[in-house]
Amino acid sequence: MPHSPMNLDTRRRAWAALSELFLDTEVNAEWVARQLRDTGLSLAEIETILKSEVAPVLGANLLSVAGVWDAFDLTPVEARFRAGRSRPTLLGHLALRMIREDWAAVLARLQESG
């Protein structure tokens, strides 16, 4: 399925913001929410991207003893998306459980902005 450059750019910005939830650092929920808000995506679109595109790829970092703590290379997220393999996975589901408090904090800030 072809993707327009604007759509892909917006997705890249969402991937980058959501990837913060999977780093081995404290999450700045306000910053993540602001970045997601600036994409113009709906909450439903953001949640789909989180569950089907980001968590399945980056979730393993939460299980690593020496996880990534500064920034991810998002090439694998994009490659999976371009290959049409964007769907929830068991690893992604586990990762979402591990980030539920941080995601709840981001979600609360997103909902505050209406």
Side-chain angles (χ1 to χ4, degrees):
M1 172 192 316
H3 305 287
S4 71
M6 184 177 296
N7 185 22
L8 192 53
D9 181 57
T10 299
R11 270 195 145 68
R12 284 182 183 128
R13 291 185 299 143
W15 294 334
L18 291 168
S19 73
E20 295 289 315
L21 298 167
F22 299 90
L23 290 173
D24 192 17
T25 59
E26 188 172 330
V27 173
N28 181 336
E30 182 57 42
W31 182 88
V32 173
R34 189 173 338 112
Q35 299 304 306
L36 291 171
R37 203 176 305 118
D38 288 349
T39 66
L41 295 169
S42 70
L43 182 54
E45 290 170 316
I46 291 168
E47 288 183 322
T48 296
I49 290 169
L50 174 63
K51 293 174 184 176
S52 299
E53 298 171 23
V54 178
V57 177
L58 303 183
N61 192 61
L62 300 174
L63 303 174
S64 175
V65 174
V68 175
W69 56 269
D70 56 349
F72 286 104
D73 171 7
L74 297 174
T75 305
V77 177
E78 184 170 336
R80 189 171 191 272
F81 174 73
R82 286 180 177 268
R85 296 185 332 227
S86 297
R87 62 185 172 278
T89 63
L90 184 56
L91 173 62
H93 180 72
L94 175 61
L96 291 170
R97 291 179 57 97
M98 295 174 74
I99 65 161
R100 74 176 152 236
E101 289 180 22
D102 289 328
W103 176 240
V106 170
L107 192 55
R109 284 163 180 82
L110 282 171
Q111 291 172 332
E112 286 172 3
S113 66

